[in-house]
Amino acid sequence: MRPFRRRRKAAFFLTLVASGFLVFLHSHMASMSGDVMSGSDVKHRDGRRGQMLSSHHKGQTVFKDLVTKSLRSLPEIPKTEVIEVSQNASILSCNESRNASEIFKKTHTMTIHGGGRLGNAMFQYASLVGISSFHGYTATIASSHFLRRIFKLKAPATKNLKTQTKAKREKSPGMYDQSIQHLSHNVNWSLVGYYQSWKYFGNISETIREEFTFQDEVIKDMLKEAPVLANWTRITIGVHVRRGDMASKYERDRGYNVADVGFLNRSMNYFRKKYENPLFIVCSDSVTWCKDNLMSDDTIFTKGRREVDLAILAHCDHNIVTSGSFGWWGAWLAGGDVVYFKNFPREKTWLDRQYSKEDYYPDEWLGMQ
């Protein structure tokens, strides 16, 4: 009996030593993982249009998987979810949702309520999809939402939910709100506001572009309005000129601004120098003004419905943006080079205080005056 007892004691002792080593390894790797997550984002380019994406050091995942497999046989060690987020991080820093479980997604939903027209609604929907993806929630919007008539949206219809729903109001319409990363997962959420920052959905850019696939009827009308897009034999530059509702004294005093002909000529000349024989396609709420000031052999003008004009801009190779979210989305969906009017919003105005240009305009876009 004594030799057996000695062997059993020795085996027990070795088990304790091994368990202690694995606990130490787990703690050490967790601290290393935190250091990696709190570091600077590594940005790289993907695709011919130069889309910006973000990713983290992949060694972190390898270390965590190794430790997790080693500890599976030790049920007495509690598993705690730890999410390290740096002070200046955004949703761009995370390529996976916090909760990937399908069961979780079926029981946790998120929707959004905001105002405005097409460009504003697109920001709201894109941010909803980005934020819900980050938290592992299911994004939902009303079955009657007008965006469904324009795009082939995948989000299910909002339903009356028995579980508690809580509102999350934005701090400013054009600034990224870091608190969005720390929502409680005990309730369903209703986002309230405009949420106009690419940082809410920049980590799932291709998903958002798929969501904003135009309905077939919109594409048919686009090709009738701009048949040149069907041939695609020249580099096309979409030019959105917004003037009408922003030209009034009231709106200008608030901070809205209208790009002058000088900006338009400079931005068009920029593309004339960069690309051989480009074709400019101008979409505007003031077509007469555009024809009077921008008429040229390499420029054509369209006047379709709002969704048709947006489809035209989105199917151009590159874009020029003046003011407003409508032109912003035409340029973003196209995914090419973008020159924007950097005096929007006007500095030191009410509207300027609602926006951070770093959060509103993607880093790779070029601002001109």
Side-chain angles (χ1 to χ4, degrees):
M1 294 296 293
R2 287 182 179 179
F4 174 75
R5 288 178 180 176
R6 284 197 295 269
R7 287 197 299 272
R8 187 169 63 181
K9 287 182 179 179
F12 179 70
F13 175 77
L14 290 175
T15 300
L16 288 177
V17 171
S19 299
F21 173 75
L22 287 174
V23 171
F24 167 77
L25 180 62
H26 180 261
S27 301
H28 183 60
M29 291 298 102
S31 64
M32 289 179 63
S33 173
D35 291 340
V36 173
M37 283 294 288
S38 62
S40 301
D41 288 345
V42 180
K43 293 189 175 180
H44 60 88
R45 291 187 175 270
D46 179 53
R48 74 178 183 90
R49 297 202 185 275
Q51 176 191 351
M52 298 297 293
L53 301 175
S54 299
S55 62
H56 279 296
H57 199 288
K58 298 186 184 300
Q60 168 198 348
T61 303
V62 175
F63 285 130
K64 291 182 72 175
D65 289 346
L66 177 62
V67 173
T68 300
K69 290 179 182 178
S70 300
L71 293 174
R72 282 175 180 169
S73 60
L74 301 173
E76 68 274 17
I77 301 175
K79 296 181 180 180
T80 304
E81 180 186 17
V82 179
I83 300 176
E84 297 288 344
V85 181
S86 67
Q87 184 66 29
N88 297 319
S90 70
I91 286 178
L92 289 174
S93 306
C94 304
N95 294 324
E96 297 180 358
S97 65
R98 294 175 61 181
N99 299 285
S101 166
E102 287 301 317
I103 296 177
F104 182 93
K105 291 191 71 174
K106 289 180 180 179
T107 56
H108 292 72
T109 64
M110 189 178 296
T111 190
I112 193 164
H113 298 283
R117 296 181 289 183
L118 180 53
N120 291 327
M122 292 176 70
F123 262 118
Q124 291 156 22
Y125 182 78
S127 294
L128 167 66
V129 174
I131 296 167
S132 61
S133 174
F134 173 74
H135 287 283
Y137 275 51
T138 295
T140 68
I141 64 167
S143 59
S144 59
H145 200 291
F146 75 88
L147 284 181
R148 294 188 185 275
R149 299 193 298 271
I150 302 173
F151 304 106
K152 299 178 180 180
L153 304 183
K154 299 178 181 178
T158 305
K159 298 179 180 179
N160 293 326
L161 302 170
K162 296 180 180 180
T163 53
Q164 182 183 0
T165 300
K166 188 174 182 180
K168 169 59 177 175
R169 300 182 183 276
E170 66 183 5
K171 294 181 179 179
S172 295
M175 295 182 185
Y176 176 74
D177 182 358
Q178 292 188 22
S179 68
I180 205 71
Q181 300 169 226
H182 308 292
L183 299 179
S184 167
H185 291 172
N186 297 325
V187 297
N188 293 317
W189 286 98
S190 176
L191 306 177
V192 181
Y194 291 91
Y195 289 89
Q196 294 190 3
S197 172
W198 59 273
K199 292 183 178 180
Y200 290 118
F201 51 85
N203 63 320
I204 55 168
S205 298
E206 290 309 310
T207 298
I208 299 303
R209 287 189 169 91
E210 290 177 7
E211 288 279 355
F212 288 140
T213 298
F214 290 90
Q215 295 285 1
D216 295 343
E217 288 301 315
V218 177
I219 296 299
K220 289 179 182 178
D221 291 342
M222 176 197 77
L223 294 176
K224 290 178 183 178
E225 187 69 30
V228 66
L229 292 176
N231 298 324
W232 214 283
T233 57
R234 297 170 65 179
I235 294 293
T236 52
I237 316 295
V239 184
H240 180 246
V241 181
R242 183 172 175 179
R243 294 184 55 82
D245 60 336
M246 292 190 176
S248 69
K249 183 179 184 305
Y250 171 75
E251 296 294 0
R252 290 177 63 82
D253 288 344
R254 295 177 67 203
Y256 291 94
N257 208 356
V258 175
D260 59 15
V261 68
F263 162 77
L264 291 166
N265 284 331
R266 284 188 290 274
S267 57
M268 293 171 77
N269 287 335
Y270 168 84
F271 282 109
R272 288 183 178 112
K273 293 178 181 178
K274 187 169 185 178
Y275 298 105
E276 183 179 358
N277 194 30
L279 176 66
F280 297 91
I281 305 178
V282 179
C283 301
S284 177
D285 59 357
S286 301
V287 175
T288 301
W289 182 92
C290 291
K291 288 182 177 180
D292 290 342
N293 291 275
L294 302 175
M295 187 65 72
S296 176
D297 292 339
D298 60 0
T299 305
I300 61 175
F301 305 86
T302 67
K303 181 57 178 176
R305 303 191 313 276
R306 59 178 182 173
E307 60 267 30
V308 174
D309 278 354
L310 181 66
I312 290 172
L313 296 171
H315 284 81
C316 288
D317 294 295
H318 311 287
N319 271 263
I320 295 172
V321 180
T322 54
S323 303
S325 56
F326 184 93
W328 191 103
W329 274 107
W332 192 89
L333 289 177
D337 297 339
V338 179
V339 174
Y340 69 89
F341 181 49
K342 71 184 215 176
N343 288 340
F344 173 82
R346 287 196 304 116
E347 294 184 356
K348 300 180 180 180
T349 61
W350 170 83
L351 189 64
D352 185 46
R353 292 190 292 273
Q354 311 304 311
Y355 280 78
S356 165
K357 292 185 178 180
E358 290 76 17
D359 293 344
Y360 184 69
Y361 293 111
D363 295 338
E364 63 269 28
W365 289 13
L366 175 64
M368 286 187 180
Q369 298 189 39

